[in-house]
Amino acid sequence: MNPIFADLPTTVFEVMSSLARETGAINLGQGFPDDPGPEDVRRKAAEAVLDGNNQYPSMMGLPELRAAVAAHYRHWQGLDLDPTTNVMVTSGATEALAGAIFGIVRPGDEVVLFEPMYDAYLPLVRLAGGIPRFVTLQPPHFRLTEEALGRAFSPRTRAVVFNNPLNPTATIFPDEDLALLADFCRRFDAIAISDEVWEHVVFDGRRHRSLMAVEGMRDRTVKIGSAGKIFSLTGWKVGFVCADAPILKVLAKSHQFLTFTTPPNLQAAVAYGLCKDDAYFETMRQDFARSRDRFTQGLERLGFQVIPSQGTYFLNIDIAPLGETDDVAFCRRLVMDHGVASIPVSAFYAQGAVKTVVRFCFAKKDPTLDAGLERLAGVARRAA
Ligand SMILES: Cc1ncc(COP(=O)(O)O)c(C=O)c1O
């Protein structure tokens, strides 16, 4: 068996979700909303299943969806994308990431990865024969620094895999960090694979800035998005890749043998959804921000130290002030003894893990959040 997969432990998301199922715990671990998602978008998908075409759509994606992606990013992020040469539809961001990494990284190439990182990145880089070079980001701000980038980049750097807004930390890199990263990419002639799936889930009046919009990055960024996150329909697995035409041509070849295509009915519904007016997106953000505030305030009342969440479905607590040094043991205790599943952030590191940060998903209905808080009562005070 291939050791890259054979030696991988079962993901912490699955472990925690299984424990939650077995013990009847409230699952605030894995990141999915308990809201069914926008009804008009779901209705469009249902209509397209009944009345539309259910055979293989174009490998690059439905033309109407590619046009909608380009128009959407022009409107929201000021990007200039030609739908026919710069946009491809994939089966979720996960396929987009795999296709980009396989299409760009050659055996022996170095790839810069930022820890904490989404768990798919490292095995995909290894499978491509890439050599990971880690930049370890530090709580509570998880910022990029010139020194850290200087240690990671080299003349052998082929690509960097960058995630902004960042899961699991729920932080957004400021413009100066984007400029710093862009500077390194240009200096070392590296391609940035920019995972921007959380681009719309940003709070407190923030606007997402794509790495692709930073000076000099238009033609060396592979921008990845996910309708699952934009419309709170995580099971749909409709993703998009945007890149300069010569890069996209190669990525299309890796896509053709990964999934080739994506269900046309879901594509049609996403094309409709991307054209929704600004109010939809603003309301979605406000609703999530309200849940974030409710859960943050509840945790703080119970004595937990919350690291502010700027975006995503997540917030984190710092368990160091509770005298805790092992996030995995802490999360196990929360699920087994208190009936609340969470995620230890050390699972997002390959080396030098921070072991004192724990992630919760707040994208849940008020009664779920309140029940979770009730079960957590006493944990912080007892531990402190
Ligand atoms: C940073 C990041 N990238 C990619 C994905 C996967 O997206 P998709 O479900 O569209 O494959 C997720 C899902 O949580 C994520 O958080």
Side-chain angles (χ1 to χ4, degrees), residues 303-332:
F304 291 101
Q305 194 160 317
V306 177
I307 301 174
S309 164
Q310 301 173 332
T312 75
Y313 298 156
F314 309 114
L315 63 74
N316 291 278
I317 57 169
D318 183 354
I319 57 171
L322 307 179
E324 299 284 345
T325 52
D326 181 347
D327 59 345
V328 175
F330 182 82
C331 289
R332 274 196 173 269

Side-chain angles (χ1 to χ4, degrees), residues 280-299:
Y280 165 76
F281 297 94
E282 303 296 357
T283 305
M284 177 266 285
R285 281 194 263 272
Q286 279 161 17
D287 288 347
F288 282 127
R290 205 191 50 75
S291 300
R292 172 201 63 173
D293 292 344
R294 187 183 187 94
F295 199 53
T296 299
Q297 284 153 17
L299 286 171

Side-chain angles (χ1 to χ4, degrees), residues 154-382:
S154 87
R156 289 181 299 282
T157 304
R158 173 70 178 147
V160 345
V161 185
F162 182 61
N163 176 212
N164 186 38
L166 181 61
N167 173 17
T169 63
T171 51
I172 296 174
F173 290 97
D175 285 359
E176 58 197 283
D177 290 30
L178 301 186
L180 184 66
L181 180 60
D183 183 44
F184 272 87
C185 288
R186 284 192 304 265
R187 265 177 25 219
F188 289 90
D189 194 21
I191 294 178
I193 299 170
S194 189
D195 178 344
E196 302 180 13
V197 299
W198 295 104
E199 58 202 343
H200 266 299
V201 192
V202 294
F203 308 132
D204 309 317
R206 291 185 178 83
R207 266 296 177 97
H208 175 71
R209 179 143 190 257
S210 174
L211 187 62
M212 198 178 219
V214 177
E215 201 195 331
M217 293 303 287
R218 164 68 174 72
D219 296 344
R220 62 169 69 251
T221 302
V222 174
K223 172 178 163 61
I224 292 174
S226 170
K229 304 296 193 271
I230 296 177
F231 298 109
S232 315
L233 295 164
T234 59
W236 274 25
K237 290 292 195 177
V238 177
F240 339 113
V241 187
C242 303
D244 193 33
I247 297 179
L248 195 70
K249 247 189 189 158
V250 180
L251 301 196
K253 293 186 183 154
S254 67
H255 164 68
Q256 76 183 327
F257 297 130
L258 282 172
T259 62
F260 183 66
T261 189
T262 300
N265 7 71
L266 299 182
Q267 290 194 52
V270 171
Y272 160 84
L274 288 176
C275 301
K276 280 166 85 75
D277 59 19
D278 291 8
Y280 165 76
F281 297 94
E282 303 296 357
T283 305
M284 177 266 285
R285 281 194 263 272
Q286 279 161 17
D287 288 347
F288 282 127
R290 205 191 50 75
S291 300
R292 172 201 63 173
D293 292 344
R294 187 183 187 94
F295 199 53
T296 299
Q297 284 153 17
L299 286 171
E300 286 176 346
R301 268 199 302 276
L302 295 177
F304 291 101
Q305 194 160 317
V306 177
I307 301 174
S309 164
Q310 301 173 332
T312 75
Y313 298 156
F314 309 114
L315 63 74
N316 291 278
I317 57 169
D318 183 354
I319 57 171
L322 307 179
E324 299 284 345
T325 52
D326 181 347
D327 59 345
V328 175
F330 182 82
C331 289
R332 274 196 173 269
R333 249 182 17 246
L334 283 197
V335 72
M336 301 307 290
D337 301 348
H338 300 276
V340 177
S342 56
I343 298 287
V345 164
S346 62
F348 295 79
Y349 288 78
Q351 52 163 45
V354 169
K355 293 192 167 151
T356 51
V357 179
V358 168
R359 192 193 82 174
F360 292 98
C361 173
F362 57 72
K364 306 289 177 192
K365 297 199 174 77
D366 288 352
T368 312
L369 294 177
D370 294 347
L373 288 167
E374 212 168 283
R375 292 180 181 199
L376 292 172
V379 173
R381 300 251 153 69
R382 248 199 310 277

